[in-house]
Amino acid sequence: MTRLNQSLAELCGWLLILVVLFMIVDLVARGFSRPLYGVSELAMFTMIAVVYLGLSHAEERDAHIRVEFLTDKLSGTMGRLLTVFITLVSLVTVVIVAWAVWTNAVNAWESRQAIAGPRPILVYPVKFVMFAALALYGLQLCRRLVAQFRFKSP
């Protein structure tokens, strides 16, 4: 799982480079009154993928932004119990969101939902990427939960 998280984090970096290159090419093409169709949509979809694909890696490295007001004040068993509770709430939330994204992705696939234009851009692929990334994030939360129940640092 660690290897997969690292690979996805690296993929996110490459995707960001790709978006920047497409935006530069589009900017230059606009200067010649020949803008590229779909670059902004591609950039939006890529940014969504980057955010979602990075969730599991950030969880593994404990790099998410959090408010530690209460967890810093509690130590020992109470602090660990609070951390386990927070992880459980996070896991339940991710499962609910993943289910909603899955349902939405299936509906988008069945209806062939697309962004209108000269060449319609299908929406469902990025929604399935979002679901897969949320599923991976949920698995990473499960790993953290198991580590917390063993009272080892995650």
Side-chain angles (χ1 to χ4, degrees):
M1 183 108 169
T2 297
R3 183 84 172 139
L4 179 60
N5 285 337
Q6 289 172 341
S7 298
L8 288 176
E10 188 170 325
L11 175 64
C12 289
W14 286 109
L15 287 173
L16 286 174
I17 290 170
L18 188 66
V19 166
V20 169
L21 291 175
F22 273 125
M23 298 297 276
I24 290 171
V25 169
D26 185 48
L27 183 66
V28 170
R30 284 178 189 272
F32 294 107
S33 299
R34 308 279 299 171
L36 301 176
Y37 170 74
V39 169
S40 60
E41 289 84 357
L42 175 68
M44 177 183 60
F45 286 165
T46 305
M47 291 305 296
I48 290 169
V50 165
V51 168
Y52 278 85
L53 291 173
L55 287 173
S56 184
H57 182 67
E59 179 62 33
E60 183 177 43
R61 295 187 57 144
D62 200 21
H64 287 296
I65 297 172
R66 66 184 83 220
V67 178
E68 298 171 336
F69 173 75
L70 195 54
T71 55
D72 283 350
K73 295 201 183 300
L74 297 174
S75 61
T77 305
M78 286 305 291
R80 281 184 275 203
L81 287 174
L82 179 60
T83 303
V84 167
F85 175 74
I86 291 168
T87 305
L88 274 171
V89 169
S90 299
L91 180 58
V92 168
T93 304
V94 167
V95 167
I96 291 168
V97 171
W99 176 255
V101 168
W102 172 259
T103 304
N104 190 275
V106 169
N107 289 337
W109 178 66
E110 288 172 346
S111 67
R112 297 291 187 242
Q113 182 181 8
I115 296 175
R119 281 174 262 127
I121 299 171
L122 294 173
V123 174
Y124 71 85
V126 77
K127 291 184 179 188
F128 281 113
V129 169
M130 289 168 57
F131 170 75
L134 284 168
L136 186 61
Y137 182 32
L139 287 174
Q140 185 61 47
L141 284 167
C142 289
R143 282 182 71 196
R144 180 171 296 277
L145 203 55
V146 167
Q148 289 169 342
F149 275 118
R150 291 182 184 159
F151 293 112
K152 294 180 184 174
S153 49

